[in-house]
């Protein structure tokens, strides 16, 4: 079997601020979102973010199994982040591992503040985030898609959650790190916001940043999230708009 | 901030100030009224609410629901009512004769029941005491998204009346999105399914009754007007 050897690019970012994929430091990768594509789930969303391909599905509120996990005053929110065996350059051993268990927890906690769990006592809301193809930043793309799947399932929410990562490469703060920057960059800050009130629901840090760099990362991340948020809202509206336009056209 | 019948999304600001928050609207810390769901804004008499376009069925006291018996344990009957919560029917004590016979339900039976009590914490208590309530015989069951039920019924029951007039009187709509229909012919059954699909898909665009009427007329089943 040929061994896949990844090589570090000579320069991750040029002096002019050109990145390995040609983006500037503030540019996000192309994003495509579709909502409601799984008819068997109560809510669903599919996102293409750079090279990432992610499906998010939501079931619930539904009966809790096992029953003893149910809470009398609110719904329990459960999340499973899972990578397909074919989602990585080399086959990933299927099943939960240390990393995916942690990401499941992190995604759950990024979404929990947005959900009115107290409206659904004694029930469960299940979120599934399936990574079909991974290309850096799967957790933030996963949160972004899962938040839409929740809205699509008609679960009462305080608002949508948008996530984005910001990294550091040398002295550059780069928005939405790509695979190379994720692998060989100096720092990585994934973050998520409850967008309407700009409350932070996820903030992780991997790698050293000065205080100024950290502030800048947060600021740039917040600005980039605004762009992603617009795409989310558009995706959520689109199915209804399509039907509306179709009827308007047919009525002529 | 929004106009009547605008499509709104979770978190979207609807209004600030002396407006009453209605269904699926919450007030944030700064006093802004926001939607909790994808739906249509409905502004009326100083109140703003959201008519949801997605979501499951949460029982409310007084709702008429249709369910299937999923478990009979001694005296109590558990009913699947297309919800996160299982409905429960408990026969009142001291019943004899024909009034007791109503409670002889078995697995898979379809029942029309009323939500008698539900507080969110315990199982919703259903009642089949009352005219027309109880086991439904014959007919077919259709399940739609519970958020579309108001559209199947229509303003002052206009849609339901239209359907009963054109397709036959045996239509019962449960608030939980389960609909019972006893069609005259298979063609009626298929047309009814088509109509429900149309209502589900196009609920957010006004002029729905006209489009449904058009569908019925184009099907050629119109002649058999069910009005007595």
């Amino acid at each position: 079997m040929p061994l896949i050897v990844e090589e570090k690019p000579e320069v991750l970012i040029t002096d002019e601020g050109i990145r390995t994929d040609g983006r500037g430091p503030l540019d996000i990768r192309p994003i495509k979102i579709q909502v409601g594509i799984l008819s068997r789930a109560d809510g669903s969303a599919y996102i293409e973010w750079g090279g990432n391909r992610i499906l998010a599905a939501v079931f619930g509120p539904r009966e809790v199994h096992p029953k003893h996990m149910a809470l009398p005053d609110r719904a329990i929110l459960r999340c499973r982040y899972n990578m397909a065996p074919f989602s990585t350059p080399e086959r990933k051993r299927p099943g939960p591992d240390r990393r995916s268990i942690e990401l499941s927890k992190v995604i759950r906690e990024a979404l929990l503040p947005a959900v009115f769990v107290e409206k659904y006592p004694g029930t469960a809301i299940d979120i599934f985030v399936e990574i079909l193809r991974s290309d850096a930043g799967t957790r933030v793309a996963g949160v972004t898609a899962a938040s839409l799947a929740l809205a699509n399932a008609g679960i009462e929410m305080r608002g949508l959650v948008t996530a984005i990562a910001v990294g550091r490469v040398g002295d550059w703060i780069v928005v939405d790190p790509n695979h190379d920057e994720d692998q060989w960059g100096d720092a990585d800050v994934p973050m998520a916001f409850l967008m309407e009130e700009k409350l932070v629901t996820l903030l992780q840090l991997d790698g050293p940043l000065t205080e100024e760099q950290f502030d800048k990362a947060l600021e740039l991340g917040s600005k980039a999230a605004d762009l992603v948020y617009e795409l989310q809202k558009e995706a959520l509206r689109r199915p209804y708009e399509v039907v509306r336009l179709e009827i308007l056209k047919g009525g002529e | 901030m929004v106009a009547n019948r605008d499509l709104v999304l979770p978190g979207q600001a609807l209004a600030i100030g002396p407006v009453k928050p209605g269904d699926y609207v919450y007030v944030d810390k700064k006093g802004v009224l926001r939607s909790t769901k994808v739906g249509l804004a409905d502004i009326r008499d100083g109140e703003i609410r959201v008519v949801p376009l997605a979501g499951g069925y949460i029982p409310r006291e007084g709702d008429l629901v249709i369910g299937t018996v999923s478990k009979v344990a001694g005296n109590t009957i558990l009913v699947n009512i297309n919800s996160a919560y299982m409905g429960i029917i408990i026969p009142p004590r001291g019943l004899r004769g024909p009034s007791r016979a109503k409670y002889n339900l078995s697995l898979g039976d379809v029942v029309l029941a009323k939500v008698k009590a539900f507080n969110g914490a315990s199982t919703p208590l259903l009642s089949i005491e009352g005219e027309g309530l109880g086991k439904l015989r014959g007919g077919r069951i259709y399940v739609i998204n519970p958020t579309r039920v108001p559209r199947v019924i229509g303003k002052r029951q206009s849609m339901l009346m239209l359907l009963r007039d054109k397709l036959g009187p045996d239509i019962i709509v449960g608030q939980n999105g389960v609909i019972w229909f006893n069609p005259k012919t298979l063609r009626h059954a298929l047309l009814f399914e088509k109509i429900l699909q149309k209502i589900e898909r196009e609920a957010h665009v006004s002029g729905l009754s006209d489009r449904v009427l058009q569908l019925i007329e184009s099907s050629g089943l119109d002649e058999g007007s069910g009005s007595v």
Side-chain angles (χ1 to χ4, degrees):
Chain A
M1 193 172 83
L3 197 66
I4 300 157
V5 181
E6 290 190 79
E7 265 181 68
K8 182 184 171 180
E10 254 170 60
V11 253
L12 282 172
I13 188 161
T14 67
D15 295 340
E16 294 80 39
I18 307 291
R19 303 209 239 162
T20 52
D21 50 13
R23 281 184 292 157
L26 305 183
D27 300 335
I28 51 177
R29 292 173 287 177
I31 296 174
K32 254 167 77 181
I33 311 174
Q34 261 178 295
V35 168
I37 60 161
L38 302 175
S39 59
R40 293 269 120 108
D42 294 317
S44 57
Y46 171 69
I47 190 166
E48 297 184 357
W49 183 326
N52 291 310
R53 304 284 183 269
I54 298 168
L55 264 175
V58 166
F59 291 83
R62 62 179 177 183
E63 269 189 275
V64 188
H65 287 289
K67 242 180 181 157
H68 67 85
M69 280 177 76
L71 298 175
D73 58 342
R74 66 201 133 121
I76 57 166
L77 189 69
R78 296 184 290 204
C79 178
R80 187 180 83 145
Y81 167 100
N82 184 52
M83 286 184 114
F86 48 80
S87 65
T88 47
E90 258 192 280
R91 180 176 185 275
K92 186 206 168 277
R93 218 175 104 92
D97 51 18
R98 201 218 90 247
R99 191 184 98 96
S100 61
I101 292 167
E102 177 189 323
L103 291 193
S104 302
K105 172 188 187 287
V106 159
I107 292 172
R108 185 190 103 86
E109 287 171 6
L111 295 167
L112 186 59
V115 180
F116 282 106
V117 279
E118 62 275 18
K119 300 263 185 186
Y120 310 101
T123 66
I125 298 166
D126 292 313
I127 304 168
F128 297 90
V129 176
E130 293 288 327
I131 314 297
L132 306 177
R133 186 166 120 187
S134 73
D135 180 32
T138 55
R139 82 190 66 188
V140 291
V143 167
T144 304
S147 137
L148 290 174
L150 281 168
N152 182 234
I155 286 158
E156 292 200 61
M157 297 167 82
R158 258 169 268 271
L160 294 177
V161 178
T162 308
I164 183 112
V166 178
R168 179 172 72 84
V169 178
D171 290 332
W172 289 94
I173 299 294
V174 292
V175 172
D176 187 20
N178 60 33
H179 176 78
D180 294 337
E181 292 156 353
D182 192 45
Q183 200 86 330
W184 293 286
D186 300 294
D188 181 20
V189 189
M191 55 186 92
F193 304 94
L194 233 173
M195 288 307 287
E196 285 296 334
E197 298 168 76
K198 264 293 162 69
L199 304 172
V200 176
T201 65
L202 164 76
L203 188 59
Q204 292 181 292
L205 175 71
D206 180 15
L209 288 176
T210 66
E211 207 176 312
E212 293 84 66
Q213 283 169 339
F214 178 81
D215 288 343
K216 193 176 175 197
L218 207 55
E219 187 202 320
L220 294 181
S222 162
K223 274 188 191 150
D226 289 338
L227 300 174
V228 180
Y229 185 41
E230 290 307 314
L231 297 173
Q232 280 180 296
K233 288 191 287 188
E234 197 272 324
L236 209 45
R237 284 207 175 95
R238 201 185 306 129
Y240 299 104
E241 282 300 304
V242 166
V243 173
R244 201 177 64 85
L245 291 176
E246 189 185 293
I247 291 164
L248 285 181
K249 265 190 205 150
E252 271 163 20
Chain B
M1 268 183 215
V2 289
N4 212 5
R5 295 201 53 81
D6 269 2
L7 183 66
V8 297
L9 305 179
Q12 186 170 338
L14 305 172
I16 315 175
V19 192
K20 268 207 317 208
D23 289 348
Y24 308 117
V25 174
Y26 76 103
V27 187
D28 73 9
K29 280 179 189 147
K30 290 186 186 127
V32 182
L33 276 68
R34 297 180 183 279
S35 171
T36 68
K37 280 200 180 207
V38 181
L40 300 174
D42 184 35
I43 308 161
R44 207 180 300 172
D45 309 327
E47 188 189 88
I48 190 159
R49 67 186 192 113
V50 172
V51 180
L53 286 171
Y57 174 67
I58 304 292
R60 288 189 194 203
E61 278 174 31
D63 276 0
L64 210 57
V65 296
I66 297 171
T68 47
V69 174
S70 68
K71 196 176 182 182
V72 182
N75 237 346
T76 60
I77 301 153
L78 289 174
V79 185
N80 180 351
I81 51 168
N82 187 32
S83 167
Y85 303 95
M86 199 59 109
I88 187 168
I89 298 174
I90 302 171
R93 280 193 210 192
L95 280 184
R96 272 165 205 285
S99 51
R100 181 72 182 83
K102 215 174 176 182
Y103 290 89
N104 288 334
L105 297 168
S106 47
L107 224 59
D109 280 354
V110 176
V111 287
L112 177 65
K114 203 168 209 163
V115 181
K116 202 172 159 194
F118 181 59
N119 57 12
S122 55
T123 345
L125 185 65
L126 307 181
S127 162
I128 52 171
E129 285 299 313
E131 212 191 311
L133 299 184
K135 184 170 167 179
L136 295 174
R137 280 162 223 276
R140 287 161 179 257
I141 290 295
Y142 300 79
V143 181
I144 61 162
N145 188 308
T147 59
R148 304 300 195 267
V149 166
R151 302 311 305 265
V152 176
I153 293 170
K155 275 199 189 104
R156 271 172 260 111
Q157 301 224 330
S158 56
M159 181 72 84
L160 189 56
M161 270 148 64
L162 172 79
L163 294 177
R164 280 183 178 153
D165 185 44
K166 300 288 183 193
L167 295 172
D170 297 331
I171 304 175
I172 302 171
V173 183
Q175 288 297 322
N176 57 340
V178 181
I179 297 167
W180 178 86
F181 174 46
N182 196 4
K184 276 184 265 184
T185 67
L186 182 63
R187 286 179 66 204
H188 284 85
L190 294 174
L191 176 62
F192 190 66
E193 190 170 348
K194 245 186 179 170
I195 293 169
L196 291 180
Q197 280 166 1
K198 194 174 190 69
I199 295 174
E200 274 207 278
R201 204 170 110 85
E202 302 178 6
H204 61 293
V205 189
S206 54
L208 189 62
S209 302
D210 294 340
R211 293 197 298 278
V212 167
L213 190 60
Q214 233 172 35
L215 182 66
I216 296 171
E217 278 165 359
S218 69
S219 73
L221 279 181
D222 196 18
E223 22 61 48
S225 183
S227 53
V228 189

